[in-house]
mmCIF file of all heavy atoms in Angstrom:
data_model
loop_
_atom_site.group_PDB
_atom_site.id
_atom_site.type_symbol
_atom_site.label_atom_id
_atom_site.label_comp_id
_atom_site.label_asym_id
_atom_site.label_seq_id
_atom_site.Cartn_x
_atom_site.Cartn_y
_atom_site.Cartn_z
ATOM 1 N N LEU A 265 -4.014 6.793 5.380
ATOM 2 C CA LEU A 265 -3.961 7.899 6.367
ATOM 3 C C LEU A 265 -3.238 7.435 7.630
ATOM 4 O O LEU A 265 -3.821 7.329 8.703
ATOM 5 C CB LEU A 265 -5.377 8.394 6.661
ATOM 6 C CG LEU A 265 -6.189 8.760 5.409
ATOM 7 C CD1 LEU A 265 -7.583 9.214 5.769
ATOM 8 C CD2 LEU A 265 -5.476 9.805 4.568
ATOM 9 N N LEU A 266 -1.943 7.141 7.470
ATOM 10 C CA LEU A 266 -1.136 6.573 8.569
ATOM 11 C C LEU A 266 -0.453 7.648 9.397
ATOM 12 O O LEU A 266 0.188 7.336 10.403
ATOM 13 C CB LEU A 266 -0.065 5.637 7.990
ATOM 14 C CG LEU A 266 -0.562 4.480 7.124
ATOM 15 C CD1 LEU A 266 0.611 3.658 6.608
ATOM 16 C CD2 LEU A 266 -1.530 3.588 7.872
ATOM 17 N N GLY A 267 -0.577 8.916 8.989
ATOM 18 C CA GLY A 267 0.128 9.998 9.688
ATOM 19 C C GLY A 267 -0.127 10.024 11.188
ATOM 20 O O GLY A 267 0.836 9.965 11.982
ATOM 21 N N PRO A 268 -1.398 10.070 11.600
ATOM 22 C CA PRO A 268 -1.666 10.128 13.050
ATOM 23 C C PRO A 268 -1.087 8.933 13.823
ATOM 24 O O PRO A 268 -0.503 9.098 14.892
ATOM 25 C CB PRO A 268 -3.197 10.160 13.118
ATOM 26 C CG PRO A 268 -3.620 10.773 11.816
ATOM 27 C CD PRO A 268 -2.620 10.260 10.795
ATOM 28 N N ASN A 269 -1.211 7.722 13.232
ATOM 29 C CA ASN A 269 -0.652 6.528 13.915
ATOM 30 C C ASN A 269 0.861 6.699 14.096
ATOM 31 O O ASN A 269 1.431 6.386 15.134
ATOM 32 C CB ASN A 269 -0.847 5.251 13.076
ATOM 33 C CG ASN A 269 -2.272 5.043 12.595
ATOM 34 O OD1 ASN A 269 -2.795 5.865 11.857
ATOM 35 N ND2 ASN A 269 -2.874 3.938 12.980
ATOM 36 N N LEU A 270 1.507 7.213 13.044
ATOM 37 C CA LEU A 270 2.974 7.351 13.066
ATOM 38 C C LEU A 270 3.395 8.362 14.131
ATOM 39 O O LEU A 270 4.300 8.099 14.933
ATOM 40 C CB LEU A 270 3.481 7.770 11.677
ATOM 41 C CG LEU A 270 4.979 8.026 11.514
ATOM 42 C CD1 LEU A 270 5.797 6.813 11.974
ATOM 43 C CD2 LEU A 270 5.298 8.374 10.069
ATOM 44 N N MET A 271 2.693 9.501 14.181
ATOM 45 C CA MET A 271 3.104 10.538 15.156
ATOM 46 C C MET A 271 2.838 10.076 16.589
ATOM 47 O O MET A 271 3.626 10.369 17.503
ATOM 48 C CB MET A 271 2.372 11.854 14.872
ATOM 49 C CG MET A 271 2.670 12.435 13.489
ATOM 50 S SD MET A 271 4.433 12.428 13.066
ATOM 51 C CE MET A 271 4.314 12.211 11.283
ATOM 52 N N GLN A 272 1.745 9.350 16.780
ATOM 53 C CA GLN A 272 1.447 8.801 18.114
ATOM 54 C C GLN A 272 2.573 7.859 18.536
ATOM 55 O O GLN A 272 3.079 7.919 19.664
ATOM 56 C CB GLN A 272 0.107 8.049 18.066
ATOM 57 C CG GLN A 272 -0.327 7.425 19.379
ATOM 58 C CD GLN A 272 -0.506 8.446 20.498
ATOM 59 O OE1 GLN A 272 -0.850 9.595 20.230
ATOM 60 N NE2 GLN A 272 -0.231 8.032 21.718
ATOM 61 N N ALA A 273 3.026 7.042 17.586
ATOM 62 C CA ALA A 273 4.111 6.094 17.886
ATOM 63 C C ALA A 273 5.392 6.844 18.228
ATOM 64 O O ALA A 273 6.107 6.492 19.182
ATOM 65 C CB ALA A 273 4.338 5.172 16.688
ATOM 66 N N VAL A 274 5.684 7.916 17.497
ATOM 67 C CA VAL A 274 6.892 8.710 17.769
ATOM 68 C C VAL A 274 6.831 9.284 19.182
ATOM 69 O O VAL A 274 7.781 9.185 19.964
ATOM 70 C CB VAL A 274 7.049 9.842 16.736
ATOM 71 C CG1 VAL A 274 8.132 10.837 17.169
ATOM 72 C CG2 VAL A 274 7.374 9.267 15.366
ATOM 73 N N LYS A 275 5.656 9.845 19.546
ATOM 74 C CA LYS A 275 5.518 10.471 20.871
ATOM 75 C C LYS A 275 5.698 9.442 21.984
ATOM 76 O O LYS A 275 6.403 9.691 22.964
ATOM 77 C CB LYS A 275 4.144 11.146 20.992
ATOM 78 C CG LYS A 275 4.056 12.425 20.196
ATOM 79 C CD LYS A 275 2.799 13.196 20.547
ATOM 80 C CE LYS A 275 2.925 14.660 20.166
ATOM 81 N NZ LYS A 275 1.730 15.433 20.543
ATOM 82 N N GLU A 276 5.093 8.256 21.785
ATOM 83 C CA GLU A 276 5.207 7.228 22.829
ATOM 84 C C GLU A 276 6.636 6.745 22.934
ATOM 85 O O GLU A 276 7.164 6.551 24.031
ATOM 86 C CB GLU A 276 4.242 6.071 22.507
ATOM 87 C CG GLU A 276 2.791 6.481 22.694
ATOM 88 C CD GLU A 276 1.811 5.343 22.427
ATOM 89 O OE1 GLU A 276 2.257 4.182 22.392
ATOM 90 O OE2 GLU A 276 0.627 5.642 22.224
ATOM 91 N N LEU A 277 7.285 6.619 21.800
ATOM 92 C CA LEU A 277 8.692 6.193 21.788
ATOM 93 C C LEU A 277 9.545 7.217 22.554
ATOM 94 O O LEU A 277 10.365 6.859 23.399
ATOM 95 C CB LEU A 277 9.155 6.094 20.330
ATOM 96 C CG LEU A 277 10.308 5.194 19.965
ATOM 97 C CD1 LEU A 277 10.128 3.803 20.539
ATOM 98 C CD2 LEU A 277 10.438 5.146 18.458
ATOM 99 N N MET A 278 9.312 8.492 22.300
ATOM 100 C CA MET A 278 10.099 9.566 22.931
ATOM 101 C C MET A 278 9.786 9.659 24.425
ATOM 102 O O MET A 278 10.585 10.165 25.206
ATOM 103 C CB MET A 278 9.824 10.905 22.240
ATOM 104 C CG MET A 278 10.359 10.959 20.816
ATOM 105 S SD MET A 278 12.162 10.860 20.700
ATOM 106 C CE MET A 278 12.415 9.146 20.290
ATOM 107 N N ALA A 279 8.583 9.164 24.797
ATOM 108 C CA ALA A 279 8.234 9.200 26.230
ATOM 109 C C ALA A 279 8.720 7.935 26.929
ATOM 110 O O ALA A 279 8.392 7.682 28.084
ATOM 111 C CB ALA A 279 6.717 9.335 26.376
ATOM 112 N N GLY A 280 9.492 7.100 26.178
ATOM 113 C CA GLY A 280 10.081 5.903 26.784
ATOM 114 C C GLY A 280 9.145 4.719 26.894
ATOM 115 O O GLY A 280 9.441 3.744 27.566
ATOM 116 N N ARG A 281 7.998 4.792 26.195
ATOM 117 C CA ARG A 281 7.051 3.677 26.277
ATOM 118 C C ARG A 281 7.441 2.573 25.298
ATOM 119 O O ARG A 281 8.168 2.811 24.321
ATOM 120 C CB ARG A 281 5.630 4.161 25.978
ATOM 121 C CG ARG A 281 5.144 5.136 27.015
ATOM 122 C CD ARG A 281 3.636 5.113 27.222
ATOM 123 N NE ARG A 281 3.305 6.129 28.209
ATOM 124 C CZ ARG A 281 3.159 7.432 27.909
ATOM 125 N NH1 ARG A 281 3.260 7.807 26.653
ATOM 126 N NH2 ARG A 281 2.906 8.302 28.853
ATOM 127 N N THR A 282 6.904 1.347 25.560
ATOM 128 C CA THR A 282 7.157 0.226 24.652
ATOM 129 C C THR A 282 6.030 0.145 23.633
ATOM 130 O O THR A 282 4.862 0.251 23.999
ATOM 131 C CB THR A 282 7.186 -1.090 25.477
ATOM 132 O OG1 THR A 282 8.147 -0.914 26.513
ATOM 133 C CG2 THR A 282 7.604 -2.275 24.596
ATOM 134 N N LEU A 283 6.370 -0.025 22.369
ATOM 135 C CA LEU A 283 5.348 -0.108 21.310
ATOM 136 C C LEU A 283 5.141 -1.559 20.886
ATOM 137 O O LEU A 283 6.086 -2.359 20.946
ATOM 138 C CB LEU A 283 5.804 0.704 20.089
ATOM 139 C CG LEU A 283 5.893 2.227 20.274
ATOM 140 C CD1 LEU A 283 6.478 2.853 19.017
ATOM 141 C CD2 LEU A 283 4.519 2.799 20.555
#
Side-chain angles (χ1 to χ4, degrees):
L265 307 179
L266 303 179
N269 309 61
L270 177 55
M271 299 314 148
Q272 180 60 30
V274 169
K275 286 191 160 182
E276 290 182 16
L277 204 50
M278 292 295 99
R281 296 210 182 82
T282 305
L283 293 175

